[in-house]
mmCIF file with all atom_site columns, all heavy atoms in Angstrom:
data_model
loop_
_atom_site.group_PDB
_atom_site.id
_atom_site.type_symbol
_atom_site.label_atom_id
_atom_site.label_alt_id
_atom_site.label_comp_id
_atom_site.label_asym_id
_atom_site.label_entity_id
_atom_site.label_seq_id
_atom_site.pdbx_PDB_ins_code
_atom_site.Cartn_x
_atom_site.Cartn_y
_atom_site.Cartn_z
_atom_site.occupancy
_atom_site.B_iso_or_equiv
_atom_site.pdbx_formal_charge
_atom_site.auth_seq_id
_atom_site.auth_comp_id
_atom_site.auth_asym_id
_atom_site.auth_atom_id
_atom_site.pdbx_PDB_model_num
ATOM 1   N N   . SER Q 1 1  ? -76.564  200.211 -111.795 1.00 0.00 ? 15 SER Q N   1
ATOM 2   C CA  . SER Q 1 1  ? -75.703  200.126 -110.616 1.00 0.00 ? 15 SER Q CA  1
ATOM 3   C C   . SER Q 1 1  ? -74.502  199.231 -110.873 1.00 0.00 ? 15 SER Q C   1
ATOM 4   O O   . SER Q 1 1  ? -73.447  199.403 -110.266 1.00 0.00 ? 15 SER Q O   1
ATOM 5   C CB  . SER Q 1 1  ? -76.501  199.596 -109.426 1.00 0.00 ? 15 SER Q CB  1
ATOM 6   O OG  . SER Q 1 1  ? -77.021  198.304 -109.730 1.00 0.00 ? 15 SER Q OG  1
ATOM 7   N N   . THR Q 1 2  ? -74.651  198.291 -111.779 1.00 0.00 ? 16 THR Q N   1
ATOM 8   C CA  . THR Q 1 2  ? -73.563  197.376 -112.114 1.00 0.00 ? 16 THR Q CA  1
ATOM 9   C C   . THR Q 1 2  ? -73.768  196.883 -113.543 1.00 0.00 ? 16 THR Q C   1
ATOM 10  O O   . THR Q 1 2  ? -74.900  196.808 -114.021 1.00 0.00 ? 16 THR Q O   1
ATOM 11  C CB  . THR Q 1 2  ? -73.530  196.182 -111.133 1.00 0.00 ? 16 THR Q CB  1
ATOM 12  O OG1 . THR Q 1 2  ? -72.401  195.373 -111.422 1.00 0.00 ? 16 THR Q OG1 1
ATOM 13  C CG2 . THR Q 1 2  ? -74.782  195.349 -111.205 1.00 0.00 ? 16 THR Q CG2 1
ATOM 14  N N   . ALA Q 1 3  ? -72.694  196.574 -114.233 1.00 0.00 ? 17 ALA Q N   1
ATOM 15  C CA  . ALA Q 1 3  ? -72.810  196.033 -115.590 1.00 0.00 ? 17 ALA Q CA  1
ATOM 16  C C   . ALA Q 1 3  ? -73.441  194.647 -115.523 1.00 0.00 ? 17 ALA Q C   1
ATOM 17  O O   . ALA Q 1 3  ? -73.269  193.909 -114.558 1.00 0.00 ? 17 ALA Q O   1
ATOM 18  C CB  . ALA Q 1 3  ? -71.432  195.956 -116.246 1.00 0.00 ? 17 ALA Q CB  1
ATOM 19  N N   . SER Q 1 4  ? -74.188  194.313 -116.553 1.00 0.00 ? 18 SER Q N   1
ATOM 20  C CA  . SER Q 1 4  ? -74.857  193.018 -116.616 1.00 0.00 ? 18 SER Q CA  1
ATOM 21  C C   . SER Q 1 4  ? -74.357  192.258 -117.837 1.00 0.00 ? 18 SER Q C   1
ATOM 22  O O   . SER Q 1 4  ? -74.018  192.847 -118.854 1.00 0.00 ? 18 SER Q O   1
ATOM 23  C CB  . SER Q 1 4  ? -76.369  193.227 -116.716 1.00 0.00 ? 18 SER Q CB  1
ATOM 24  O OG  . SER Q 1 4  ? -77.024  191.995 -116.920 1.00 0.00 ? 18 SER Q OG  1
ATOM 25  N N   . GLY Q 1 5  ? -74.339  190.954 -117.724 1.00 0.00 ? 19 GLY Q N   1
ATOM 26  C CA  . GLY Q 1 5  ? -73.992  190.123 -118.867 1.00 0.00 ? 19 GLY Q CA  1
ATOM 27  C C   . GLY Q 1 5  ? -75.178  189.922 -119.801 1.00 0.00 ? 19 GLY Q C   1
ATOM 28  O O   . GLY Q 1 5  ? -75.039  189.337 -120.867 1.00 0.00 ? 19 GLY Q O   1
ATOM 29  N N   . LEU Q 1 6  ? -76.339  190.428 -119.394 1.00 0.00 ? 20 LEU Q N   1
ATOM 30  C CA  . LEU Q 1 6  ? -77.557  190.309 -120.191 1.00 0.00 ? 20 LEU Q CA  1
ATOM 31  C C   . LEU Q 1 6  ? -77.976  191.677 -120.713 1.00 0.00 ? 20 LEU Q C   1
ATOM 32  O O   . LEU Q 1 6  ? -77.716  192.691 -120.064 1.00 0.00 ? 20 LEU Q O   1
ATOM 33  C CB  . LEU Q 1 6  ? -78.703  189.761 -119.319 1.00 0.00 ? 20 LEU Q CB  1
ATOM 34  C CG  . LEU Q 1 6  ? -78.503  188.393 -118.691 1.00 0.00 ? 20 LEU Q CG  1
ATOM 35  C CD1 . LEU Q 1 6  ? -79.618  188.110 -117.694 1.00 0.00 ? 20 LEU Q CD1 1
ATOM 36  C CD2 . LEU Q 1 6  ? -78.477  187.329 -119.779 1.00 0.00 ? 20 LEU Q CD2 1
ATOM 37  N N   . PRO Q 1 7  ? -78.655  191.723 -121.852 1.00 0.00 ? 21 PRO Q N   1
ATOM 38  C CA  . PRO Q 1 7  ? -79.218  193.002 -122.283 1.00 0.00 ? 21 PRO Q CA  1
ATOM 39  C C   . PRO Q 1 7  ? -80.332  193.403 -121.314 1.00 0.00 ? 21 PRO Q C   1
ATOM 40  O O   . PRO Q 1 7  ? -81.039  192.547 -120.790 1.00 0.00 ? 21 PRO Q O   1
ATOM 41  C CB  . PRO Q 1 7  ? -79.752  192.718 -123.680 1.00 0.00 ? 21 PRO Q CB  1
ATOM 42  C CG  . PRO Q 1 7  ? -79.905  191.240 -123.756 1.00 0.00 ? 21 PRO Q CG  1
ATOM 43  C CD  . PRO Q 1 7  ? -78.919  190.651 -122.799 1.00 0.00 ? 21 PRO Q CD  1
ATOM 44  N N   . ILE Q 1 8  ? -80.449  194.702 -121.072 1.00 0.00 ? 22 ILE Q N   1
ATOM 45  C CA  . ILE Q 1 8  ? -81.464  195.233 -120.163 1.00 0.00 ? 22 ILE Q CA  1
ATOM 46  C C   . ILE Q 1 8  ? -82.294  196.253 -120.919 1.00 0.00 ? 22 ILE Q C   1
ATOM 47  O O   . ILE Q 1 8  ? -81.742  197.081 -121.658 1.00 0.00 ? 22 ILE Q O   1
ATOM 48  C CB  . ILE Q 1 8  ? -80.788  195.880 -118.935 1.00 0.00 ? 22 ILE Q CB  1
ATOM 49  C CG1 . ILE Q 1 8  ? -80.146  194.789 -118.081 1.00 0.00 ? 22 ILE Q CG1 1
ATOM 50  C CG2 . ILE Q 1 8  ? -81.782  196.711 -118.124 1.00 0.00 ? 22 ILE Q CG2 1
ATOM 51  C CD1 . ILE Q 1 8  ? -79.324  195.306 -116.932 1.00 0.00 ? 22 ILE Q CD1 1
ATOM 52  N N   . THR Q 1 9  ? -83.602  196.187 -120.775 1.00 0.00 ? 23 THR Q N   1
ATOM 53  C CA  . THR Q 1 9  ? -84.470  197.199 -121.355 1.00 0.00 ? 23 THR Q CA  1
ATOM 54  C C   . THR Q 1 9  ? -85.325  197.815 -120.256 1.00 0.00 ? 23 THR Q C   1
ATOM 55  O O   . THR Q 1 9  ? -85.622  197.174 -119.245 1.00 0.00 ? 23 THR Q O   1
ATOM 56  C CB  . THR Q 1 9  ? -85.396  196.623 -122.455 1.00 0.00 ? 23 THR Q CB  1
ATOM 57  O OG1 . THR Q 1 9  ? -86.243  195.631 -121.873 1.00 0.00 ? 23 THR Q OG1 1
ATOM 58  C CG2 . THR Q 1 9  ? -84.612  196.025 -123.600 1.00 0.00 ? 23 THR Q CG2 1
ATOM 59  N N   . VAL Q 1 10 ? -85.709  199.075 -120.474 1.00 0.00 ? 24 VAL Q N   1
ATOM 60  C CA  . VAL Q 1 10 ? -86.608  199.761 -119.549 1.00 0.00 ? 24 VAL Q CA  1
ATOM 61  C C   . VAL Q 1 10 ? -87.396  200.801 -120.343 1.00 0.00 ? 24 VAL Q C   1
ATOM 62  O O   . VAL Q 1 10 ? -86.856  201.470 -121.223 1.00 0.00 ? 24 VAL Q O   1
ATOM 63  C CB  . VAL Q 1 10 ? -85.837  200.411 -118.375 1.00 0.00 ? 24 VAL Q CB  1
ATOM 64  C CG1 . VAL Q 1 10 ? -84.908  201.516 -118.842 1.00 0.00 ? 24 VAL Q CG1 1
ATOM 65  C CG2 . VAL Q 1 10 ? -86.796  200.914 -117.305 1.00 0.00 ? 24 VAL Q CG2 1
ATOM 66  N N   . GLY Q 1 11 ? -88.681  200.871 -120.056 1.00 0.00 ? 25 GLY Q N   1
ATOM 67  C CA  . GLY Q 1 11 ? -89.518  201.884 -120.683 1.00 0.00 ? 25 GLY Q CA  1
ATOM 68  C C   . GLY Q 1 11 ? -89.367  203.204 -119.958 1.00 0.00 ? 25 GLY Q C   1
ATOM 69  O O   . GLY Q 1 11 ? -89.049  203.249 -118.770 1.00 0.00 ? 25 GLY Q O   1
ATOM 70  N N   . TYR Q 1 12 ? -89.590  204.312 -120.677 1.00 0.00 ? 26 TYR Q N   1
ATOM 71  C CA  . TYR Q 1 12 ? -89.573  205.630 -120.042 1.00 0.00 ? 26 TYR Q CA  1
ATOM 72  C C   . TYR Q 1 12 ? -90.689  206.484 -120.618 1.00 0.00 ? 26 TYR Q C   1
ATOM 73  O O   . TYR Q 1 12 ? -91.113  206.286 -121.763 1.00 0.00 ? 26 TYR Q O   1
ATOM 74  C CB  . TYR Q 1 12 ? -88.218  206.326 -120.223 1.00 0.00 ? 26 TYR Q CB  1
ATOM 75  C CG  . TYR Q 1 12 ? -87.881  206.685 -121.651 1.00 0.00 ? 26 TYR Q CG  1
ATOM 76  C CD1 . TYR Q 1 12 ? -88.255  207.905 -122.198 1.00 0.00 ? 26 TYR Q CD1 1
ATOM 77  C CD2 . TYR Q 1 12 ? -87.194  205.790 -122.469 1.00 0.00 ? 26 TYR Q CD2 1
ATOM 78  C CE1 . TYR Q 1 12 ? -87.960  208.227 -123.518 1.00 0.00 ? 26 TYR Q CE1 1
ATOM 79  C CE2 . TYR Q 1 12 ? -86.885  206.108 -123.783 1.00 0.00 ? 26 TYR Q CE2 1
ATOM 80  C CZ  . TYR Q 1 12 ? -87.272  207.321 -124.299 1.00 0.00 ? 26 TYR Q CZ  1
ATOM 81  O OH  . TYR Q 1 12 ? -86.987  207.643 -125.594 1.00 0.00 ? 26 TYR Q OH  1
ATOM 82  N N   . SER Q 1 13 ? -91.200  207.404 -119.808 1.00 0.00 ? 27 SER Q N   1
ATOM 83  C CA  . SER Q 1 13 ? -92.212  208.347 -120.277 1.00 0.00 ? 27 SER Q CA  1
ATOM 84  C C   . SER Q 1 13 ? -92.204  209.576 -119.385 1.00 0.00 ? 27 SER Q C   1
ATOM 85  O O   . SER Q 1 13 ? -91.915  209.486 -118.190 1.00 0.00 ? 27 SER Q O   1
ATOM 86  C CB  . SER Q 1 13 ? -93.605  207.713 -120.281 1.00 0.00 ? 27 SER Q CB  1
ATOM 87  O OG  . SER Q 1 13 ? -93.971  207.331 -118.965 1.00 0.00 ? 27 SER Q OG  1
ATOM 88  N N   . THR Q 1 14 ? -92.493  210.728 -119.975 1.00 0.00 ? 28 THR Q N   1
ATOM 89  C CA  . THR Q 1 14 ? -92.569  211.964 -119.215 1.00 0.00 ? 28 THR Q CA  1
ATOM 90  C C   . THR Q 1 14 ? -93.960  212.118 -118.618 1.00 0.00 ? 28 THR Q C   1
ATOM 91  O O   . THR Q 1 14 ? -94.943  211.605 -119.159 1.00 0.00 ? 28 THR Q O   1
ATOM 92  C CB  . THR Q 1 14 ? -92.274  213.182 -120.119 1.00 0.00 ? 28 THR Q CB  1
ATOM 93  O OG1 . THR Q 1 14 ? -93.111  213.122 -121.274 1.00 0.00 ? 28 THR Q OG1 1
ATOM 94  C CG2 . THR Q 1 14 ? -90.818  213.213 -120.548 1.00 0.00 ? 28 THR Q CG2 1
ATOM 95  N N   . SER Q 1 15 ? -94.028  212.823 -117.495 1.00 0.00 ? 29 SER Q N   1
ATOM 96  C CA  . SER Q 1 15 ? -95.332  213.164 -116.919 1.00 0.00 ? 29 SER Q CA  1
ATOM 97  C C   . SER Q 1 15 ? -95.261  214.555 -116.323 1.00 0.00 ? 29 SER Q C   1
ATOM 98  O O   . SER Q 1 15 ? -94.213  214.984 -115.826 1.00 0.00 ? 29 SER Q O   1
ATOM 99  C CB  . SER Q 1 15 ? -95.773  212.134 -115.874 1.00 0.00 ? 29 SER Q CB  1
ATOM 100 O OG  . SER Q 1 15 ? -94.897  212.114 -114.780 1.00 0.00 ? 29 SER Q OG  1
ATOM 101 N N   . ASN Q 1 16 ? -96.376  215.269 -116.392 1.00 0.00 ? 30 ASN Q N   1
ATOM 102 C CA  . ASN Q 1 16 ? -96.440  216.644 -115.926 1.00 0.00 ? 30 ASN Q CA  1
ATOM 103 C C   . ASN Q 1 16 ? -96.241  216.759 -114.426 1.00 0.00 ? 30 ASN Q C   1
ATOM 104 O O   . ASN Q 1 16 ? -96.708  215.920 -113.658 1.00 0.00 ? 30 ASN Q O   1
ATOM 105 C CB  . ASN Q 1 16 ? -97.810  217.253 -116.255 1.00 0.00 ? 30 ASN Q CB  1
ATOM 106 C CG  . ASN Q 1 16 ? -98.025  217.467 -117.736 1.00 0.00 ? 30 ASN Q CG  1
ATOM 107 O OD1 . ASN Q 1 16 ? -97.076  217.476 -118.511 1.00 0.00 ? 30 ASN Q OD1 1
ATOM 108 N ND2 . ASN Q 1 16 ? -99.267  217.640 -118.127 1.00 0.00 ? 30 ASN Q ND2 1
ATOM 109 N N   . GLY Q 1 17 ? -95.519  217.806 -114.031 1.00 0.00 ? 31 GLY Q N   1
ATOM 110 C CA  . GLY Q 1 17 ? -95.529  218.285 -112.653 1.00 0.00 ? 31 GLY Q CA  1
ATOM 111 C C   . GLY Q 1 17 ? -96.221  219.633 -112.741 1.00 0.00 ? 31 GLY Q C   1
ATOM 112 O O   . GLY Q 1 17 ? -97.366  219.723 -113.176 1.00 0.00 ? 31 GLY Q O   1
ATOM 113 N N   . THR Q 1 18 ? -95.494  220.708 -112.420 1.00 0.00 ? 32 THR Q N   1
ATOM 114 C CA  . THR Q 1 18 ? -96.040  222.040 -112.657 1.00 0.00 ? 32 THR Q CA  1
ATOM 115 C C   . THR Q 1 18 ? -95.790  222.472 -114.102 1.00 0.00 ? 32 THR Q C   1
ATOM 116 O O   . THR Q 1 18 ? -96.430  223.388 -114.603 1.00 0.00 ? 32 THR Q O   1
ATOM 117 C CB  . THR Q 1 18 ? -95.423  223.068 -111.687 1.00 0.00 ? 32 THR Q CB  1
ATOM 118 O OG1 . THR Q 1 18 ? -94.000  222.995 -111.782 1.00 0.00 ? 32 THR Q OG1 1
ATOM 119 C CG2 . THR Q 1 18 ? -95.847  222.784 -110.249 1.00 0.00 ? 32 THR Q CG2 1
ATOM 120 N N   . ALA Q 1 19 ? -94.853  221.813 -114.782 1.00 0.00 ? 33 ALA Q N   1
ATOM 121 C CA  . ALA Q 1 19 ? -94.629  222.039 -116.217 1.00 0.00 ? 33 ALA Q CA  1
ATOM 122 C C   . ALA Q 1 19 ? -95.611  221.176 -117.006 1.00 0.00 ? 33 ALA Q C   1
ATOM 123 O O   . ALA Q 1 19 ? -95.895  220.041 -116.625 1.00 0.00 ? 33 ALA Q O   1
ATOM 124 C CB  . ALA Q 1 19 ? -93.190  221.682 -116.595 1.00 0.00 ? 33 ALA Q CB  1
ATOM 125 N N   . LEU Q 1 20 ? -96.147  221.724 -118.087 1.00 0.00 ? 34 LEU Q N   1
ATOM 126 C CA  . LEU Q 1 20 ? -97.148  221.020 -118.875 1.00 0.00 ? 34 LEU Q CA  1
ATOM 127 C C   . LEU Q 1 20 ? -96.582  220.622 -120.228 1.00 0.00 ? 34 LEU Q C   1
ATOM 128 O O   . LEU Q 1 20 ? -95.971  221.448 -120.914 1.00 0.00 ? 34 LEU Q O   1
ATOM 129 C CB  . LEU Q 1 20 ? -98.383  221.907 -119.080 1.00 0.00 ? 34 LEU Q CB  1
ATOM 130 C CG  . LEU Q 1 20 ? -99.049  222.430 -117.800 1.00 0.00 ? 34 LEU Q CG  1
ATOM 131 C CD1 . LEU Q 1 20 ? -100.201 223.364 -118.148 1.00 0.00 ? 34 LEU Q CD1 1
ATOM 132 C CD2 . LEU Q 1 20 ? -99.519  221.276 -116.938 1.00 0.00 ? 34 LEU Q CD2 1
ATOM 133 N N   . SER Q 1 21 ? -96.810  219.354 -120.623 1.00 0.00 ? 35 SER Q N   1
ATOM 134 C CA  . SER Q 1 21 ? -96.340  218.919 -121.934 1.00 0.00 ? 35 SER Q CA  1
ATOM 135 C C   . SER Q 1 21 ? -97.079  219.707 -123.004 1.00 0.00 ? 35 SER Q C   1
ATOM 136 O O   . SER Q 1 21 ? -98.252  220.039 -122.859 1.00 0.00 ? 35 SER Q O   1
ATOM 137 C CB  . SER Q 1 21 ? -96.542  217.414 -122.120 1.00 0.00 ? 35 SER Q CB  1
ATOM 138 O OG  . SER Q 1 21 ? -97.902  217.097 -122.221 1.00 0.00 ? 35 SER Q OG  1
ATOM 139 N N   . GLY Q 1 22 ? -96.376  220.007 -124.067 1.00 0.00 ? 36 GLY Q N   1
ATOM 140 C CA  . GLY Q 1 22 ? -96.968  220.783 -125.147 1.00 0.00 ? 36 GLY Q CA  1
ATOM 141 C C   . GLY Q 1 22 ? -96.676  222.265 -125.022 1.00 0.00 ? 36 GLY Q C   1
ATOM 142 O O   . GLY Q 1 22 ? -96.322  222.907 -125.992 1.00 0.00 ? 36 GLY Q O   1
ATOM 143 N N   . SER Q 1 23 ? -96.804  222.826 -123.799 1.00 0.00 ? 37 SER Q N   1
ATOM 144 C CA  . SER Q 1 23 ? -96.513  224.252 -123.637 1.00 0.00 ? 37 SER Q CA  1
ATOM 145 C C   . SER Q 1 23 ? -95.154  224.507 -122.985 1.00 0.00 ? 37 SER Q C   1
ATOM 146 O O   . SER Q 1 23 ? -94.511  225.505 -123.282 1.00 0.00 ? 37 SER Q O   1
ATOM 147 C CB  . SER Q 1 23 ? -97.628  224.945 -122.824 1.00 0.00 ? 37 SER Q CB  1
ATOM 148 O OG  . SER Q 1 23 ? -97.733  224.389 -121.532 1.00 0.00 ? 37 SER Q OG  1
ATOM 149 N N   . ASP Q 1 24 ? -94.714  223.623 -122.083 1.00 0.00 ? 38 ASP Q N   1
ATOM 150 C CA  . ASP Q 1 24 ? -93.438  223.827 -121.388 1.00 0.00 ? 38 ASP Q CA  1
ATOM 151 C C   . ASP Q 1 24 ? -92.349  222.845 -121.830 1.00 0.00 ? 38 ASP Q C   1
ATOM 152 O O   . ASP Q 1 24 ? -91.168  223.152 -121.751 1.00 0.00 ? 38 ASP Q O   1
ATOM 153 C CB  . ASP Q 1 24 ? -93.627  223.696 -119.874 1.00 0.00 ? 38 ASP Q CB  1
ATOM 154 C CG  . ASP Q 1 24 ? -94.518  224.796 -119.313 1.00 0.00 ? 38 ASP Q CG  1
ATOM 155 O OD1 . ASP Q 1 24 ? -94.286  225.972 -119.661 1.00 0.00 ? 38 ASP Q OD1 1
ATOM 156 O OD2 . ASP Q 1 24 ? -95.442  224.482 -118.549 1.00 0.00 ? 38 ASP Q OD2 1
ATOM 157 N N   . TYR Q 1 25 ? -92.739  221.664 -122.260 1.00 0.00 ? 39 TYR Q N   1
ATOM 158 C CA  . TYR Q 1 25 ? -91.766  220.659 -122.718 1.00 0.00 ? 39 TYR Q CA  1
ATOM 159 C C   . TYR Q 1 25 ? -92.460  219.713 -123.681 1.00 0.00 ? 39 TYR Q C   1
ATOM 160 O O   . TYR Q 1 25 ? -93.685  219.653 -123.744 1.00 0.00 ? 39 TYR Q O   1
ATOM 161 C CB  . TYR Q 1 25 ? -91.161  219.887 -121.532 1.00 0.00 ? 39 TYR Q CB  1
ATOM 162 C CG  . TYR Q 1 25 ? -92.115  218.914 -120.867 1.00 0.00 ? 39 TYR Q CG  1
ATOM 163 C CD1 . TYR Q 1 25 ? -92.120  217.566 -121.222 1.00 0.00 ? 39 TYR Q CD1 1
ATOM 164 C CD2 . TYR Q 1 25 ? -93.022  219.339 -119.904 1.00 0.00 ? 39 TYR Q CD2 1
ATOM 165 C CE1 . TYR Q 1 25 ? -93.002  216.676 -120.636 1.00 0.00 ? 39 TYR Q CE1 1
ATOM 166 C CE2 . TYR Q 1 25 ? -93.898  218.462 -119.315 1.00 0.00 ? 39 TYR Q CE2 1
ATOM 167 C CZ  . TYR Q 1 25 ? -93.890  217.128 -119.683 1.00 0.00 ? 39 TYR Q CZ  1
ATOM 168 O OH  . TYR Q 1 25 ? -94.775  216.254 -119.103 1.00 0.00 ? 39 TYR Q OH  1
ATOM 169 N N   . GLY Q 1 26 ? -91.654  218.973 -124.439 1.00 0.00 ? 40 GLY Q N   1
ATOM 170 C CA  . GLY Q 1 26 ? -92.198  218.008 -125.390 1.00 0.00 ? 40 GLY Q CA  1
ATOM 171 C C   . GLY Q 1 26 ? -92.330  216.640 -124.746 1.00 0.00 ? 40 GLY Q C   1
ATOM 172 O O   . GLY Q 1 26 ? -91.345  216.065 -124.297 1.00 0.00 ? 40 GLY Q O   1
ATOM 173 N N   . SER Q 1 27 ? -93.544  216.136 -124.681 1.00 0.00 ? 41 SER Q N   1
ATOM 174 C CA  . SER Q 1 27 ? -93.785  214.808 -124.115 1.00 0.00 ? 41 SER Q CA  1
ATOM 175 C C   . SER Q 1 27 ? -93.014  213.765 -124.919 1.00 0.00 ? 41 SER Q C   1
ATOM 176 O O   . SER Q 1 27 ? -92.937  213.848 -126.146 1.00 0.00 ? 41 SER Q O   1
ATOM 177 C CB  . SER Q 1 27 ? -95.289  214.517 -124.172 1.00 0.00 ? 41 SER Q CB  1
ATOM 178 O OG  . SER Q 1 27 ? -95.561  213.234 -123.692 1.00 0.00 ? 41 SER Q OG  1
ATOM 179 N N   . THR Q 1 28 ? -92.433  212.806 -124.231 1.00 0.00 ? 42 THR Q N   1
ATOM 180 C CA  . THR Q 1 28 ? -91.699  211.759 -124.926 1.00 0.00 ? 42 THR Q CA  1
ATOM 181 C C   . THR Q 1 28 ? -91.817  210.444 -124.170 1.00 0.00 ? 42 THR Q C   1
ATOM 182 O O   . THR Q 1 28 ? -92.041  210.426 -122.965 1.00 0.00 ? 42 THR Q O   1
ATOM 183 C CB  . THR Q 1 28 ? -90.208  212.145 -125.120 1.00 0.00 ? 42 THR Q CB  1
ATOM 184 O OG1 . THR Q 1 28 ? -89.582  211.177 -125.955 1.00 0.00 ? 42 THR Q OG1 1
ATOM 185 C CG2 . THR Q 1 28 ? -89.465  212.227 -123.807 1.00 0.00 ? 42 THR Q CG2 1
ATOM 186 N N   . SER Q 1 29 ? -91.687  209.362 -124.899 1.00 0.00 ? 43 SER Q N   1
ATOM 187 C CA  . SER Q 1 29 ? -91.686  208.032 -124.288 1.00 0.00 ? 43 SER Q CA  1
ATOM 188 C C   . SER Q 1 29 ? -90.977  207.076 -125.232 1.00 0.00 ? 43 SER Q C   1
ATOM 189 O O   . SER Q 1 29 ? -90.768  207.385 -126.403 1.00 0.00 ? 43 SER Q O   1
ATOM 190 C CB  . SER Q 1 29 ? -93.108  207.552 -124.009 1.00 0.00 ? 43 SER Q CB  1
ATOM 191 O OG  . SER Q 1 29 ? -93.827  207.414 -125.221 1.00 0.00 ? 43 SER Q OG  1
ATOM 192 N N   . GLY Q 1 30 ? -90.598  205.926 -124.699 1.00 0.00 ? 44 GLY Q N   1
ATOM 193 C CA  . GLY Q 1 30 ? -89.918  204.942 -125.529 1.00 0.00 ? 44 GLY Q CA  1
ATOM 194 C C   . GLY Q 1 30 ? -89.313  203.862 -124.666 1.00 0.00 ? 44 GLY Q C   1
ATOM 195 O O   . GLY Q 1 30 ? -89.691  203.691 -123.505 1.00 0.00 ? 44 GLY Q O   1
ATOM 196 N N   . THR Q 1 31 ? -88.356  203.155 -125.238 1.00 0.00 ? 45 THR Q N   1
ATOM 197 C CA  . THR Q 1 31 ? -87.663  202.088 -124.522 1.00 0.00 ? 45 THR Q CA  1
ATOM 198 C C   . THR Q 1 31 ? -86.163  202.283 -124.695 1.00 0.00 ? 45 THR Q C   1
ATOM 199 O O   . THR Q 1 31 ? -85.688  202.507 -125.802 1.00 0.00 ? 45 THR Q O   1
ATOM 200 C CB  . THR Q 1 31 ? -88.063  200.707 -125.088 1.00 0.00 ? 45 THR Q CB  1
ATOM 201 O OG1 . THR Q 1 31 ? -89.469  200.547 -124.953 1.00 0.00 ? 45 THR Q OG1 1
ATOM 202 C CG2 . THR Q 1 31 ? -87.355  199.584 -124.340 1.00 0.00 ? 45 THR Q CG2 1
ATOM 203 N N   . LEU Q 1 32 ? -85.442  202.222 -123.579 1.00 0.00 ? 46 LEU Q N   1
ATOM 204 C CA  . LEU Q 1 32 ? -83.978  202.245 -123.622 1.00 0.00 ? 46 LEU Q CA  1
ATOM 205 C C   . LEU Q 1 32 ? -83.474  200.814 -123.566 1.00 0.00 ? 46 LEU Q C   1
ATOM 206 O O   . LEU Q 1 32 ? -84.020  199.994 -122.836 1.00 0.00 ? 46 LEU Q O   1
ATOM 207 C CB  . LEU Q 1 32 ? -83.411  202.985 -122.409 1.00 0.00 ? 46 LEU Q CB  1
ATOM 208 C CG  . LEU Q 1 32 ? -83.595  204.487 -122.343 1.00 0.00 ? 46 LEU Q CG  1
ATOM 209 C CD1 . LEU Q 1 32 ? -83.008  205.015 -121.041 1.00 0.00 ? 46 LEU Q CD1 1
ATOM 210 C CD2 . LEU Q 1 32 ? -82.931  205.160 -123.528 1.00 0.00 ? 46 LEU Q CD2 1
ATOM 211 N N   . THR Q 1 33 ? -82.423  200.530 -124.325 1.00 0.00 ? 47 THR Q N   1
ATOM 212 C CA  . THR Q 1 33 ? -81.800  199.217 -124.286 1.00 0.00 ? 47 THR Q CA  1
ATOM 213 C C   . THR Q 1 33 ? -80.334  199.376 -123.900 1.00 0.00 ? 47 THR Q C   1
ATOM 214 O O   . THR Q 1 33 ? -79.606  200.164 -124.503 1.00 0.00 ? 47 THR Q O   1
ATOM 215 C CB  . THR Q 1 33 ? -81.892  198.523 -125.660 1.00 0.00 ? 47 THR Q CB  1
ATOM 216 O OG1 . THR Q 1 33 ? -83.272  198.389 -126.007 1.00 0.00 ? 47 THR Q OG1 1
ATOM 217 C CG2 . THR Q 1 33 ? -81.230  197.154 -125.624 1.00 0.00 ? 47 THR Q CG2 1
#
């Protein structure tokens, strides 16, 4: 929402809805900096 003077990290991961990982999309996770 606004630039920060500090580094920011956040984890992310996919989760199934009606689409299933492996057959409809590739599951992924990690950390954004």
Side-chain angles (χ1 to χ4, degrees):
S15 59
T16 185
S18 174
L20 300 171
I22 291 174
T23 62
V24 65
Y26 66 89
S27 62
T28 52
S29 64
N30 291 342
T32 54
L34 304 176
S35 69
S37 61
D38 295 313
Y39 72 96
S41 178
T42 188
S43 63
T45 301
L46 289 178
T47 300

